[in-house]
Amino acid sequence: MRQDHLGAIGHAAYGLHGRLVKDGNHARGDSSVAAGLLTAHHFHTGVVLGNVVETWDLQLRTLLDAVGHISNHLDYSVASHAKDDAEVSTSLAVSKISEYFK
């Protein structure tokens, strides 16, 4: 895989993370309020809706962690590969110069 491919994937993961942070919580507040009100009025669906909200939060956090890890890892990989490429390029240039000193 080329560095530009890794960079594009890392950028997409970063964008997805930002959208998940923003859009993943739209229904949390209203759903939590509804769960509380339903539970307070002795509707069993209130407890169930509360469980749905908790499960959604847990899975959203897990997904955010995974996408963040992917983004960070690919950013690191691209930077590391660029450093390795620079070192290889320098050593090739030095070895070429060394041929003239023999």
Side-chain angles (χ1 to χ4, degrees):
M1 200 163 234
R2 294 190 336 238
Q3 285 184 23
D4 55 337
H5 290 140
L6 293 176
I9 294 168
H11 181 73
Y14 178 79
L16 177 59
H17 187 274
R19 288 191 311 274
L20 283 170
V21 167
K22 178 183 170 200
D23 297 333
N25 293 311
H26 280 306
R28 177 185 289 158
D30 291 339
S31 297
S32 294
V33 169
L37 290 172
L38 288 167
T39 301
H41 288 90
H42 307 290
F43 285 94
H44 295 291
T45 54
V47 173
V48 174
L49 183 56
N51 289 338
V52 169
V53 171
E54 288 177 20
T55 301
W56 176 262
D57 287 344
L58 176 63
Q59 291 190 2
L60 179 61
R61 284 193 311 264
T62 300
L63 185 58
L64 284 168
D65 288 346
V67 172
H69 179 74
I70 290 167
S71 176
N72 291 339
H73 179 72
L74 290 176
D75 286 345
Y76 171 79
S77 294
V78 168
S80 177
H81 286 256
K83 180 183 171 195
D84 291 345
D85 287 348
E87 288 176 6
V88 168
S89 176
T90 301
S91 39
L92 286 176
V94 169
S95 68
K96 194 68 171 168
I97 292 170
S98 296
E99 288 178 15
Y100 293 105
F101 291 111
K102 291 182 180 183

